[in-house]
Amino acid sequence: MGCGAELNDPGVNPSILPDAAVRDAAIDASPPVDARPCMGGIAAKQEPGGACFVLFPGPKVRAEAELDCVALGGHLATVKTAASNAIVALLVIATPTAFLGGNDLTTENAFVWPDGTAVSYTNWRAGEPNNSNGGGFEEDCMVIQGLLGGVWDDRPCAPPPVGTGSYAYVCSY
Ligand SMILES: [Ca+2]
Ligand SMILES: [Ca+2]
């Protein structure tokens, strides 16, 4: 099977792929990582000289969202500075809740980014992270709340409870 046939596989979600012309150009040119334009999702923003942040509306559970980010060559978003968070906050300004990459799946209350580095800069909403505050379920995945100015909350990575754990998501690469 040729490359084109794979890209046209109906099993591939077209929403995570750039348009065909850009895709073909990218394959032909194989630009270095730093030269890639920000693309994908429904909106994207780039830090000056830095990472691309790409918003997908989902909603998807964390594990499936991460797969889409990996398909872009990245991960769920890493946000290590206030300047980066301000850019992501603008990206999600109309999105109530979107997954970032931070999580404490391995060790409760020890949040790490997808590359395993500890979360140092934080922008938690007051009282968060609370791991559901005794609600009988774990909250191990970081979200950013666009309608609240880009503060963070810890939420379930997937249901249950019903109605949680499936959100929009931001990738970075
Ligand atoms: Ca937790
Ligand atoms: Ca929480």
Side-chain angles (χ1 to χ4, degrees):
M1 178 182 290
C3 182
E6 291 179 9
L7 287 170
N8 291 327
D9 183 328
V12 174
N13 179 353
S15 70
I16 65 171
L17 295 173
D19 70 82
V22 174
R23 187 165 72 234
D24 288 347
I27 290 169
D28 290 342
S30 297
V33 170
D34 289 347
R36 286 181 301 176
C38 292
M39 60 177 63
I42 57 169
K45 289 184 180 293
Q46 185 171 23
E47 293 181 301
C52 289
F53 296 100
V54 182
L55 173 63
F56 290 82
K60 289 191 176 182
V61 300
R62 196 257 186 201
E64 292 177 0
E66 169 68 4
L67 287 178
D68 284 353
C69 294
V70 169
L72 271 185
H75 292 283
L76 283 167
T78 293
V79 182
K80 291 190 172 179
T81 67
S84 296
N85 199 67
I87 290 170
V88 178
L90 283 175
L91 185 64
V92 300
I93 196 165
T95 302
T97 306
F99 280 122
L100 300 178
N103 68 85
D104 68 339
L105 287 160
T106 299
T107 303
E108 176 54 34
N109 206 35
F111 281 83
V112 295
W113 296 113
D115 69 358
T117 59
V119 172
S120 175
Y121 160 80
T122 66
N123 196 41
W124 297 112
R125 197 177 77 216
E128 304 293 345
N130 65 358
N131 201 42
S132 89
N133 195 27
F137 56 93
E138 296 289 308
E139 294 185 319
D140 291 345
C141 284
M142 179 191 292
V143 300
I144 186 168
Q145 298 184 293
L147 304 185
L148 299 178
V151 291
W152 302 352
D153 186 9
D154 59 337
R155 292 286 183 87
C157 304
V162 172
T164 73
S166 186
Y167 306 111
Y169 47 103
V170 179
C171 306
S172 65
Y173 65 87

